[in-house]
Amino acid sequence: MVNYTLLGLSGSLRQTSANSKLLLEAARLSGGQFVQADLRLPLYDNDIEDAHGLPDEVQKLVRQVSQADAVAISTPEYNSGVSGVLKNALDWISRADVKPWTDKPVVLMSAAAGRSGGARALTMLRSCMVPFRAQVISGPEVAVADCNNQFDESGRLSPRYEKSLAELMKGLASEAAR
């Protein structure tokens, strides 16, 4: 599959988020058509779901995951785990009648200011993906440390991490082609 649709989920809502920059670099290296999901969702609340069903924004996100050929998820590390924004989105998606993640090729990555680059958040994210039965590509692991200094003024990732990201995206493209 030369051209495929790649959906990006950034666990950070910040305008200048390193995780969103990392997703843009992943998209550039993948060669796929890129769509960035909007994770500005209401907090998961079973009372809302019971009264009104899934909110429109959540239904859109579920459709996006379903329709994408592959998904890239990038998370910051907050208090040794994934961001609340990302966990909330995963919780909402889990409530859908369809199971959009099943056998979906997915890559996980992180960018964090600390020296581990979000490695603990990646471990937690991997655990969060288990119930979805996604086809999570195992590596190479991309955990961008000191993330605020790893992108140049045009948003390009430093060569230190670009090689691993390119290899990860090559693996994703291979899985998406199956």
Side-chain angles (χ1 to χ4, degrees):
M1 177 180 300
V2 173
N3 195 9
Y4 66 100
T5 302
L6 175 65
L7 179 66
L9 276 67
S10 175
S12 175
L13 300 178
R14 280 186 35 238
Q15 190 102 20
T16 59
S17 162
N19 284 278
S20 294
K21 289 178 187 177
L22 185 55
L23 287 174
L24 290 174
E25 281 294 271
R28 179 183 65 81
L29 294 168
S30 77
Q33 177 186 341
F34 182 67
V35 175
Q36 177 125 3
D38 184 357
L39 300 188
R40 286 177 175 82
L41 307 171
L43 288 175
Y44 177 74
D45 182 337
N46 193 240
D47 290 337
I48 292 173
E49 182 184 5
D50 286 346
H52 308 287
L54 296 182
D56 291 341
E57 312 96 294
V58 173
Q59 291 179 40
K60 178 182 178 181
L61 180 58
V62 170
R63 277 193 310 276
Q64 287 177 312
V65 173
S66 294
Q67 294 169 355
D69 296 308
V71 179
I73 305 173
S74 188
T75 185
E77 184 172 285
Y78 294 162
N79 301 310
S80 302
V82 300
S83 69
V85 166
L86 182 56
K87 181 66 169 82
N88 185 57
L90 295 175
D91 290 343
W92 269 118
I93 293 169
S94 75
R95 304 301 298 166
D97 290 333
V98 299
K99 302 302 175 205
W101 293 110
T102 304
D103 297 323
K104 181 78 59 180
V106 177
V107 291
L108 309 177
M109 59 192 78
S110 63
R115 60 188 161 132
S116 73
R120 291 173 292 201
L122 274 178
T123 298
M124 182 179 175
L125 180 53
R126 213 171 281 289
S127 294
C128 290
M129 294 304 293
V130 169
F132 295 128
R133 304 171 93 187
Q135 182 70 19
V136 178
I137 310 304
S138 62
E141 187 169 87
V142 175
V144 179
D146 186 28
C147 65
N148 297 320
N149 294 308
Q150 299 305 321
F151 296 90
D152 68 18
E153 54 282 340
S154 65
R156 282 288 181 86
L157 185 60
S158 71
R160 175 181 179 189
Y161 294 105
E162 184 178 26
K163 182 179 177 187
S164 294
L165 182 59
E167 188 177 331
L168 182 65
M169 297 314 293
K170 182 179 176 184
L172 181 67
S174 290
E175 285 301 316
R178 290 183 185 218

